[in-house]
Amino acid sequence: MALIVQKYGGTSVGSIDRMRNVAARVKRTRDEGNQVVAVVSAMSGVTDKLIKMALELGENPSEREMDVLLATGEQQSIALVTMALHEAGLEAVSVTGRQAGIFTTGSHTRGRIQDISPDFMRRSLDEGKTLVVAGFQGITPEGMIHTLGRGGSDLTAIAIAGALKADVCQILTDVDGVYTCDPRIVKNARKLPEISYDEMLEMASSGSKVMQSRSVEFAKKYGVVFEVRSSLNDNPGTLVLEEHPAMENVVIRGVSIERSQARVTITGIPDVPGMSGKILGALGEAEINLDMIVSNIAHDDRARHSFTMHSNDLGKAQAALKQVLAEISPDAKIETEAGIAKLSAVGIGMRSHSGVAATMFKALGEAGINIGMISTSEIKIAVTVDETRIEDAARAVHDAFQLDKEPVK
Protein backbone atom coordinates (compact mmCIF):
# COMPACT_ATOMS: atom_id res chain seq x y z
CA MET A 1 0.00 0.00 0.00
CA ALA A 2 1.40 3.37 -1.06
CA LEU A 3 0.67 6.74 0.53
CA ILE A 4 -0.11 9.30 -2.15
CA VAL A 5 -0.47 13.06 -1.64
CA GLN A 6 -2.46 14.78 -4.39
CA LYS A 7 -2.81 18.54 -4.67
CA TYR A 8 -5.76 20.02 -6.58
CA GLY A 9 -5.67 23.68 -7.59
CA GLY A 10 -8.49 26.18 -7.81
CA THR A 11 -9.39 25.31 -11.39
CA SER A 12 -9.57 21.61 -10.53
CA VAL A 13 -12.19 22.33 -7.83
CA GLY A 14 -13.73 25.31 -9.61
CA SER A 15 -17.25 23.86 -9.85
CA ILE A 16 -19.37 21.08 -8.40
CA ASP A 17 -18.74 18.98 -11.52
CA ARG A 18 -14.99 19.53 -11.15
CA MET A 19 -15.22 18.48 -7.51
CA ARG A 20 -17.01 15.29 -8.55
CA ASN A 21 -14.16 14.69 -10.99
CA VAL A 22 -11.65 15.12 -8.14
CA ALA A 23 -13.66 12.69 -6.00
CA ALA A 24 -13.67 10.15 -8.82
CA ARG A 25 -9.92 10.43 -9.27
CA VAL A 26 -9.30 10.06 -5.54
CA LYS A 27 -11.61 7.04 -5.45
CA ARG A 28 -9.71 5.37 -8.31
CA THR A 29 -6.48 5.91 -6.41
CA ARG A 30 -8.02 4.42 -3.25
CA ASP A 31 -9.47 1.47 -5.18
CA GLU A 32 -5.93 0.67 -6.34
CA GLY A 33 -5.10 0.01 -2.69
CA ASN A 34 -3.49 3.34 -1.79
CA GLN A 35 -3.91 5.76 1.09
CA VAL A 36 -4.69 9.28 -0.14
CA VAL A 37 -4.23 12.76 1.23
CA ALA A 38 -5.84 15.35 -1.07
CA VAL A 39 -4.70 18.95 -0.58
CA VAL A 40 -7.08 21.45 -2.17
CA SER A 41 -7.10 25.15 -2.96
CA ALA A 42 -10.02 27.56 -2.86
CA MET A 43 -12.35 27.38 -5.85
CA SER A 44 -11.04 29.49 -8.72
CA GLY A 45 -12.12 33.11 -8.31
CA VAL A 46 -13.07 32.80 -4.65
CA THR A 47 -9.86 34.29 -3.22
CA ASP A 48 -10.03 37.25 -5.61
CA LYS A 49 -13.67 37.81 -4.63
CA LEU A 50 -12.79 37.82 -0.94
CA ILE A 51 -9.95 40.28 -1.50
CA LYS A 52 -12.27 42.57 -3.48
CA MET A 53 -14.83 42.54 -0.68
CA ALA A 54 -12.15 43.44 1.87
CA LEU A 55 -10.89 46.34 -0.25
CA GLU A 56 -14.42 47.70 -0.56
CA LEU A 57 -14.36 48.16 3.22
CA GLY A 58 -11.03 49.98 3.25
CA GLU A 59 -7.82 50.47 1.28
CA ASN A 60 -5.56 48.85 3.87
CA PRO A 61 -7.38 45.99 5.60
CA SER A 62 -5.71 44.33 8.59
CA GLU A 63 -3.41 41.53 7.41
CA ARG A 64 -4.42 39.41 10.41
CA GLU A 65 -8.07 39.69 9.43
CA MET A 66 -7.18 39.03 5.77
CA ASP A 67 -5.68 35.72 6.90
CA VAL A 68 -8.90 34.84 8.72
CA LEU A 69 -10.94 35.83 5.67
CA LEU A 70 -8.85 34.15 2.96
CA ALA A 71 -8.54 30.88 4.88
CA THR A 72 -12.30 30.41 4.48
CA GLY A 73 -11.86 29.80 0.74
CA GLU A 74 -9.94 26.56 1.29
CA GLN A 75 -12.22 25.51 4.14
CA GLN A 76 -15.20 25.81 1.79
CA SER A 77 -13.41 23.58 -0.73
CA ILE A 78 -12.38 20.85 1.71
CA ALA A 79 -15.92 20.52 3.05
CA LEU A 80 -17.45 20.26 -0.43
CA VAL A 81 -14.83 17.83 -1.77
CA THR A 82 -15.23 15.67 1.33
CA MET A 83 -18.99 15.59 0.74
CA ALA A 84 -18.34 14.52 -2.87
CA LEU A 85 -16.12 11.70 -1.57
CA HIS A 86 -18.88 10.60 0.81
CA GLU A 87 -21.26 10.43 -2.16
CA ALA A 88 -18.64 8.33 -3.97
CA GLY A 89 -18.70 5.87 -1.08
CA LEU A 90 -15.42 6.76 0.64
CA GLU A 91 -14.88 7.39 4.34
CA ALA A 92 -13.27 10.81 4.23
CA VAL A 93 -12.65 13.71 6.58
CA SER A 94 -11.82 17.37 5.96
CA VAL A 95 -8.73 18.74 7.72
CA THR A 96 -7.90 22.41 8.34
CA GLY A 97 -4.35 23.71 8.58
CA ARG A 98 -4.62 23.68 12.38
CA GLN A 99 -5.85 20.06 12.43
CA ALA A 100 -3.07 19.06 10.04
CA GLY A 101 -0.53 20.40 12.56
CA ILE A 102 0.99 22.96 10.18
CA PHE A 103 2.85 25.50 12.33
CA THR A 104 3.96 28.70 10.67
CA THR A 105 6.06 31.78 11.24
CA GLY A 106 6.56 35.15 9.55
CA SER A 107 4.24 38.03 8.67
CA HIS A 108 0.51 37.61 8.22
CA THR A 109 -0.49 36.78 4.59
CA ARG A 110 3.13 35.70 3.91
CA GLY A 111 3.59 32.80 6.33
CA ARG A 112 6.37 30.22 6.18
CA ILE A 113 6.02 26.63 7.34
CA GLN A 114 8.13 26.10 10.44
CA ASP A 115 7.09 22.57 11.41
CA ILE A 116 4.41 19.94 10.83
CA SER A 117 3.04 17.70 13.57
CA PRO A 118 1.20 15.04 11.52
CA ASP A 119 -0.14 12.89 14.38
CA PHE A 120 -3.81 13.56 13.61
CA MET A 121 -3.30 12.83 9.91
CA ARG A 122 -1.43 9.59 10.64
CA ARG A 123 -4.14 8.38 13.03
CA SER A 124 -6.86 9.16 10.51
CA LEU A 125 -5.02 7.37 7.72
CA ASP A 126 -4.48 4.34 9.98
CA GLU A 127 -8.23 4.29 10.57
CA GLY A 128 -8.75 3.92 6.82
CA LYS A 129 -9.90 7.47 6.15
CA THR A 130 -9.13 9.60 3.12
CA LEU A 131 -8.00 13.09 4.12
CA VAL A 132 -8.92 16.35 2.39
CA VAL A 133 -6.55 19.02 3.69
CA ALA A 134 -6.88 22.78 3.28
CA GLY A 135 -3.91 24.17 1.42
CA PHE A 136 -2.49 27.67 1.87
CA GLN A 137 -2.93 27.82 5.66
CA GLY A 138 -1.47 26.98 9.04
CA ILE A 139 -1.36 28.43 12.55
CA THR A 140 1.15 30.59 14.39
CA PRO A 141 2.67 29.49 17.72
CA GLU A 142 0.00 31.71 19.34
CA GLY A 143 -2.77 29.80 17.55
CA MET A 144 -3.61 32.51 14.99
CA ILE A 145 -4.77 31.53 11.48
CA HIS A 146 -1.92 32.20 9.06
CA THR A 147 -1.93 32.00 5.25
CA LEU A 148 1.12 31.07 3.20
CA GLY A 149 0.95 33.51 0.30
CA ARG A 150 1.22 32.71 -3.40
CA GLY A 151 1.67 29.03 -4.17
CA GLY A 152 0.68 28.13 -0.62
CA SER A 153 -1.31 25.03 -1.55
CA ASP A 154 1.61 23.55 -3.52
CA LEU A 155 3.81 24.20 -0.52
CA THR A 156 1.28 22.56 1.80
CA ALA A 157 1.15 19.41 -0.36
CA ILE A 158 4.91 19.04 -0.61
CA ALA A 159 5.42 19.73 3.10
CA ILE A 160 2.78 17.15 4.05
CA ALA A 161 4.33 14.61 1.67
CA GLY A 162 7.67 15.17 3.40
CA ALA A 163 6.22 14.98 6.92
CA LEU A 164 4.23 11.80 6.20
CA LYS A 165 7.06 10.30 4.10
CA ALA A 166 4.61 9.79 1.25
CA ASP A 167 5.55 7.49 -1.61
CA VAL A 168 4.26 9.91 -4.26
CA CYS A 169 3.35 13.62 -4.35
CA GLN A 170 1.26 14.71 -7.33
CA ILE A 171 0.62 18.37 -8.13
CA LEU A 172 -2.58 18.14 -10.17
CA THR A 173 -3.51 21.26 -12.06
CA ASP A 174 -5.04 22.43 -15.34
CA VAL A 175 -1.81 21.79 -17.27
CA ASP A 176 -0.41 18.32 -17.85
CA GLY A 177 3.23 18.97 -17.03
CA VAL A 178 6.16 21.33 -17.40
CA TYR A 179 6.85 22.47 -20.97
CA THR A 180 9.94 23.85 -22.66
CA CYS A 181 7.98 27.13 -22.82
CA ASP A 182 4.41 28.25 -22.31
CA PRO A 183 2.50 26.41 -25.11
CA ARG A 184 0.19 29.39 -25.48
CA ILE A 185 3.20 31.42 -26.64
CA VAL A 186 5.34 28.80 -28.36
CA LYS A 187 3.00 26.44 -30.22
CA ASN A 188 5.62 23.70 -30.67
CA ALA A 189 6.70 23.67 -27.02
CA ARG A 190 7.39 20.14 -25.77
CA LYS A 191 6.36 18.56 -22.48
CA LEU A 192 9.34 17.49 -20.38
CA PRO A 193 9.31 13.99 -18.88
CA GLU A 194 11.57 15.16 -16.04
CA ILE A 195 13.35 18.24 -14.75
CA SER A 196 15.78 18.80 -11.90
CA TYR A 197 14.91 20.74 -8.76
CA ASP A 198 17.44 23.44 -9.66
CA GLU A 199 16.07 23.87 -13.19
CA MET A 200 12.48 23.95 -11.94
CA LEU A 201 13.49 26.46 -9.28
CA GLU A 202 15.10 28.76 -11.85
CA MET A 203 12.10 28.50 -14.18
CA ALA A 204 9.67 29.13 -11.32
CA SER A 205 11.58 32.21 -10.17
CA SER A 206 11.76 33.42 -13.78
CA GLY A 207 8.05 33.52 -14.47
CA SER A 208 6.92 29.94 -15.06
CA LYS A 209 3.41 29.73 -13.56
CA VAL A 210 3.41 25.96 -13.04
CA MET A 211 5.05 26.06 -9.58
CA GLN A 212 6.05 28.72 -7.09
CA SER A 213 9.77 28.74 -6.31
CA ARG A 214 9.48 28.24 -2.55
CA SER A 215 7.52 25.01 -3.06
CA VAL A 216 10.38 23.68 -5.19
CA GLU A 217 12.93 24.86 -2.61
CA PHE A 218 11.08 22.92 0.09
CA ALA A 219 10.94 19.79 -2.09
CA LYS A 220 14.66 20.00 -2.81
CA LYS A 221 15.55 20.55 0.83
CA TYR A 222 13.59 17.51 2.01
CA GLY A 223 14.08 15.32 -1.06
CA VAL A 224 10.38 15.17 -2.01
CA VAL A 225 10.05 13.89 -5.59
CA PHE A 226 6.84 15.24 -7.10
CA GLU A 227 4.99 15.03 -10.38
CA VAL A 228 3.20 17.89 -12.13
CA ARG A 229 0.24 16.50 -14.08
CA SER A 230 -3.31 17.34 -15.16
CA SER A 231 -6.35 16.72 -13.01
CA LEU A 232 -8.46 16.53 -16.18
CA ASN A 233 -6.80 13.51 -17.84
CA ASP A 234 -4.55 10.55 -17.04
CA ASN A 235 -1.57 11.56 -19.19
CA PRO A 236 1.88 11.18 -17.62
CA GLY A 237 3.21 14.44 -16.22
CA THR A 238 6.65 15.83 -15.45
CA LEU A 239 8.74 14.44 -12.60
CA VAL A 240 10.68 17.00 -10.56
CA LEU A 241 13.64 15.36 -8.85
CA GLU A 242 17.33 15.58 -7.97
CA GLU A 243 19.53 15.87 -11.04
CA HIS A 244 21.36 12.86 -12.46
CA PRO A 245 24.35 12.76 -14.86
CA ALA A 246 22.29 12.19 -18.03
CA MET A 247 20.48 15.50 -17.51
CA GLU A 248 23.61 17.47 -18.47
CA ASN A 249 23.30 16.18 -22.03
CA VAL A 250 20.52 18.73 -22.52
CA VAL A 251 22.02 22.21 -22.71
CA ILE A 252 18.79 24.21 -22.30
CA ARG A 253 15.81 22.61 -20.58
CA GLY A 254 13.35 25.43 -21.09
CA VAL A 255 12.59 29.10 -21.67
CA SER A 256 10.43 31.16 -19.32
CA ILE A 257 9.10 34.69 -19.39
CA GLU A 258 8.03 37.15 -16.73
CA ARG A 259 5.95 40.16 -17.67
CA SER A 260 5.14 43.36 -15.74
CA GLN A 261 8.70 44.08 -14.68
CA ALA A 262 10.14 47.50 -13.82
CA ARG A 263 13.69 48.78 -13.61
CA VAL A 264 14.98 51.25 -11.04
CA THR A 265 18.33 52.94 -11.59
CA ILE A 266 20.01 55.06 -8.91
CA THR A 267 22.79 57.41 -10.02
CA GLY A 268 25.11 59.78 -8.17
CA ILE A 269 25.94 57.38 -5.33
CA PRO A 270 29.27 57.98 -3.53
CA ASP A 271 31.70 55.14 -4.27
CA VAL A 272 32.34 54.26 -0.64
CA PRO A 273 31.69 51.07 1.37
CA GLY A 274 28.21 50.56 2.80
CA MET A 275 26.15 52.42 0.22
CA SER A 276 24.70 49.28 -1.39
CA GLY A 277 23.78 47.92 2.03
CA LYS A 278 21.82 51.06 2.92
CA ILE A 279 19.94 51.09 -0.39
CA LEU A 280 19.09 47.40 -0.45
CA GLY A 281 18.34 47.46 3.27
CA ALA A 282 15.65 50.10 2.75
CA LEU A 283 14.07 47.99 0.01
CA GLY A 284 14.28 44.88 2.16
CA GLU A 285 12.52 46.59 5.05
CA ALA A 286 9.75 47.53 2.62
CA GLU A 287 9.49 43.80 1.73
CA ILE A 288 10.26 44.41 -1.95
CA ASN A 289 11.71 41.42 -3.79
CA LEU A 290 14.45 42.36 -6.21
CA ASP A 291 15.48 40.27 -9.17
CA MET A 292 18.37 41.43 -11.37
CA ILE A 293 20.94 43.70 -9.72
CA VAL A 294 23.71 45.45 -11.68
CA SER A 295 26.23 47.88 -10.20
CA ASN A 296 29.05 49.83 -11.82
CA ILE A 297 31.14 52.98 -11.48
CA ALA A 298 30.45 55.89 -13.83
CA HIS A 299 33.09 58.17 -15.39
CA ASP A 300 32.64 60.68 -12.56
CA ASP A 301 33.63 58.05 -9.95
CA ARG A 302 30.07 57.84 -8.75
CA ALA A 303 28.36 54.45 -8.38
CA ARG A 304 25.31 53.45 -10.37
CA HIS A 305 22.89 50.72 -9.25
CA SER A 306 20.13 49.16 -11.37
CA PHE A 307 17.70 46.50 -10.27
CA THR A 308 14.43 45.01 -11.43
CA MET A 309 11.22 44.18 -9.55
CA HIS A 310 7.56 43.59 -10.26
CA SER A 311 5.97 46.76 -11.59
CA ASN A 312 3.39 46.67 -8.77
CA ASP A 313 6.23 47.40 -6.32
CA LEU A 314 7.57 50.42 -8.20
CA GLY A 315 5.70 53.07 -6.20
CA LYS A 316 6.55 51.40 -2.91
CA ALA A 317 10.22 51.22 -3.93
CA GLN A 318 10.36 54.92 -4.77
CA ALA A 319 8.83 55.78 -1.39
CA ALA A 320 11.28 53.49 0.44
CA LEU A 321 14.28 54.98 -1.36
CA LYS A 322 13.37 58.65 -0.99
CA GLN A 323 14.60 59.06 2.57
CA VAL A 324 17.71 56.89 2.34
CA LEU A 325 18.93 58.63 -0.83
CA ALA A 326 18.51 62.03 0.79
CA GLU A 327 20.81 60.81 3.57
CA ILE A 328 23.37 59.34 1.16
CA SER A 329 23.95 62.25 -1.20
CA PRO A 330 22.16 65.32 -2.60
CA ASP A 331 23.33 64.13 -6.04
CA ALA A 332 21.59 60.75 -5.82
CA LYS A 333 18.73 60.43 -8.28
CA ILE A 334 16.20 57.75 -9.19
CA GLU A 335 15.32 56.77 -12.75
CA THR A 336 12.51 54.29 -13.41
CA GLU A 337 11.33 52.31 -16.40
CA ALA A 338 8.19 50.18 -16.63
CA GLY A 339 6.91 48.13 -19.56
CA ILE A 340 9.74 45.61 -19.59
CA ALA A 341 9.78 41.83 -19.32
CA LYS A 342 12.34 39.16 -18.49
CA LEU A 343 13.32 36.22 -20.68
CA SER A 344 15.27 33.33 -19.14
CA ALA A 345 16.94 30.29 -20.67
CA VAL A 346 17.50 27.53 -18.11
CA GLY A 347 19.47 24.29 -18.19
CA ILE A 348 22.02 22.46 -16.04
CA GLY A 349 23.82 21.57 -19.28
CA MET A 350 25.23 25.11 -19.29
CA ARG A 351 27.79 23.92 -16.76
CA SER A 352 29.46 21.71 -19.34
CA HIS A 353 28.67 23.46 -22.65
CA SER A 354 30.07 26.76 -23.96
CA GLY A 355 28.55 29.27 -26.34
CA VAL A 356 25.07 29.31 -24.80
CA ALA A 357 24.94 33.08 -24.32
CA ALA A 358 26.27 33.66 -27.84
CA THR A 359 23.52 31.49 -29.35
CA MET A 360 20.84 33.24 -27.30
CA PHE A 361 22.02 36.79 -28.05
CA LYS A 362 22.47 36.02 -31.76
CA ALA A 363 18.90 34.73 -31.99
CA LEU A 364 17.55 37.85 -30.29
CA GLY A 365 19.64 40.10 -32.52
CA GLU A 366 18.42 38.39 -35.69
CA ALA A 367 14.85 38.88 -34.45
CA GLY A 368 15.54 42.60 -34.02
CA ILE A 369 15.07 42.54 -30.25
CA ASN A 370 17.15 44.84 -28.07
CA ILE A 371 18.53 43.52 -24.79
CA GLY A 372 18.49 45.62 -21.63
CA MET A 373 19.95 44.14 -18.45
CA ILE A 374 21.69 40.76 -18.37
CA SER A 375 21.90 38.38 -15.43
CA THR A 376 23.50 34.94 -15.26
CA SER A 377 23.82 32.04 -12.87
CA GLU A 378 25.44 28.65 -13.24
CA ILE A 379 22.36 27.31 -15.04
CA LYS A 380 20.47 30.40 -16.25
CA ILE A 381 20.88 33.36 -18.58
CA ALA A 382 18.26 36.08 -18.21
CA VAL A 383 17.75 39.33 -20.12
CA THR A 384 15.24 42.15 -20.06
CA VAL A 385 13.47 43.19 -23.24
CA ASP A 386 10.61 45.48 -24.17
CA GLU A 387 7.42 43.83 -22.93
CA THR A 388 5.79 44.20 -26.35
CA ARG A 389 8.48 41.89 -27.82
CA ILE A 390 8.67 39.25 -25.10
CA GLU A 391 6.69 36.60 -26.99
CA ASP A 392 8.79 37.12 -30.13
CA ALA A 393 11.89 36.80 -27.95
CA ALA A 394 10.68 33.54 -26.39
CA ARG A 395 9.96 32.01 -29.80
CA ALA A 396 13.33 33.10 -31.19
CA VAL A 397 15.31 31.56 -28.32
CA HIS A 398 13.17 28.40 -28.24
CA ASP A 399 13.84 27.87 -31.96
CA ALA A 400 17.55 28.67 -31.63
CA PHE A 401 18.05 25.82 -29.15
CA GLN A 402 15.64 23.50 -31.04
CA LEU A 403 13.71 22.80 -27.86
CA ASP A 404 10.81 21.34 -29.84
CA LYS A 405 12.96 18.29 -30.66
CA GLU A 406 13.55 15.33 -28.36
CA PRO A 407 17.15 15.41 -27.07
CA VAL A 408 19.60 12.84 -28.38
CA LYS A 409 20.26 10.22 -25.71
Side-chain angles (χ1 to χ4, degrees):
M1 177 186 292
L3 171 56
I4 299 176
V5 175
Q6 297 179 331
K7 177 264 178 178
Y8 294 93
T11 305
S12 300
V13 295
S15 66
I16 295 300
D17 285 341
R18 289 282 177 90
M19 289 181 180
R20 289 194 179 107
N21 178 66
V22 166
R25 180 181 284 272
V26 171
K27 187 176 188 303
R28 287 199 304 272
T29 307
R30 280 299 311 266
D31 289 346
E32 292 167 358
N34 304 300
Q35 295 177 310
V36 181
V37 177
V39 176
V40 300
S41 300
M43 296 172 68
S44 56
V46 166
T47 300
D48 288 341
K49 182 179 178 180
L50 292 172
I51 292 172
K52 182 179 178 182
M53 292 169 64
L55 293 176
E56 286 178 359
L57 292 171
E59 294 183 0
N60 297 297
S62 160
E63 291 186 337
R64 179 191 182 279
E65 301 311 322
M66 286 299 293
D67 272 351
V68 174
L69 175 66
L70 297 182
T72 64
E74 277 69 24
Q75 290 172 202
Q76 172 182 280
S77 292
I78 61 174
L80 290 169
V81 170
T82 301
M83 293 174 189
L85 288 170
H86 291 164
E87 290 299 311
L90 289 182
E91 186 178 2
V93 60
S94 61
V95 182
T96 65
R98 175 191 289 272
Q99 293 166 333
I102 300 172
F103 294 96
T104 57
T105 185
S107 304
H108 278 289
T109 74
R110 295 177 295 279
R112 300 188 303 274
I113 293 178
Q114 186 175 44
D115 190 25
I116 295 183
S117 178
D119 295 344
F120 173 78
M121 291 190 288
R122 285 202 179 103
R123 285 198 307 272
S124 299
L125 289 168
D126 290 343
E127 292 168 359
K129 296 174 182 174
T130 295
L131 307 186
V132 184
V133 181
F136 183 63
Q137 62 179 251
I139 59 167
T140 68
E142 296 77 28
M144 299 294 105
I145 295 174
H146 202 183
T147 63
L148 303 176
R150 293 179 62 191
S153 292
D154 289 346
L155 181 60
T156 301
I158 289 171
I160 286 175
L164 291 174
K165 296 181 170 52
D167 297 281
V168 180
C169 181
Q170 299 173 337
I171 305 297
L172 294 131
T173 179
D174 56 346
V175 298
D176 61 353
V178 181
Y179 281 74
T180 50
C181 193
D182 187 336
R184 293 169 297 184
I185 296 170
V186 178
K187 301 302 182 185
N188 59 349
R190 179 175 51 84
K191 185 168 69 176
L192 298 166
E194 63 180 14
I195 186 171
S196 72
Y197 291 127
D198 288 339
E199 289 169 324
M200 188 71 248
L201 184 57
E202 289 284 15
M203 290 185 71
S205 64
S206 301
S208 174
K209 304 301 182 185
V210 177
M211 293 288 295
Q212 291 291 331
S213 58
R214 63 194 191 130
S215 301
V216 185
E217 287 174 348
F218 200 101
K220 176 179 171 63
K221 181 177 180 180
Y222 293 100
V224 178
V225 176
F226 64 94
E227 182 185 19
V228 179
R229 61 186 302 172
S230 174
S231 64
L232 307 177
N233 59 53
D234 293 318
N235 296 337
T238 301
L239 280 176
V240 185
L241 68 169
E242 192 62 62
E243 68 179 76
H244 52 78
M247 285 183 169
E248 286 205 12
N249 294 334
V250 180
V251 181
I252 297 297
R253 190 77 58 187
V255 174
S256 59
I257 68 171
E258 190 165 13
R259 306 177 194 267
S260 302
Q261 299 294 289
R263 177 183 59 83
V264 173
T265 299
I266 303 173
T267 60
I269 306 168
D271 182 25
V272 296
M275 294 297 103
S276 297
K278 289 183 178 180
I279 292 168
L280 298 181
L283 294 170
E285 288 178 5
E287 297 187 336
I288 296 170
N289 292 323
L290 302 182
D291 188 1
M292 298 180 175
I293 302 175
V294 176
S295 179
N296 52 48
I297 306 301
H299 64 275
D300 58 358
D301 292 328
R302 292 278 177 160
R304 175 188 180 95
H305 293 334
S306 293
F307 35 82
T308 61
M309 64 190 68
H310 196 280
S311 58
N312 290 346
D313 288 331
L314 191 54
K316 190 162 62 169
Q318 289 174 298
L321 290 169
K322 185 175 181 180
Q323 181 175 350
V324 70
L325 293 185
E327 295 172 358
I328 286 174
S329 170
D331 299 324
K333 296 179 181 178
I334 303 177
E335 300 171 3
T336 62
E337 178 188 5
I340 62 177
K342 183 178 72 171
L343 174 73
S344 302
V346 176
I348 61 175
M350 289 186 195
R351 297 171 181 157
S352 53
H353 294 77
S354 60
V356 177
T359 300
M360 180 175 177
F361 297 162
K362 179 182 178 183
L364 293 171
E366 290 176 349
I369 298 169
N370 282 331
I371 296 171
M373 296 173 66
I374 301 171
S375 174
T376 65
S377 74
E378 189 180 26
I379 64 169
K380 181 181 78 172
I381 300 173
V383 299
T384 59
V385 301
D386 190 292
E387 189 165 8
T388 61
R389 299 299 310 276
I390 186 62
E391 294 190 7
D392 295 332
R395 286 188 281 265
V397 174
H398 194 274
D399 289 345
F401 289 104
Q402 300 182 326
L403 297 184
D404 59 316
K405 296 180 172 58
E406 291 285 344
V408 178
K409 295 183 180 179

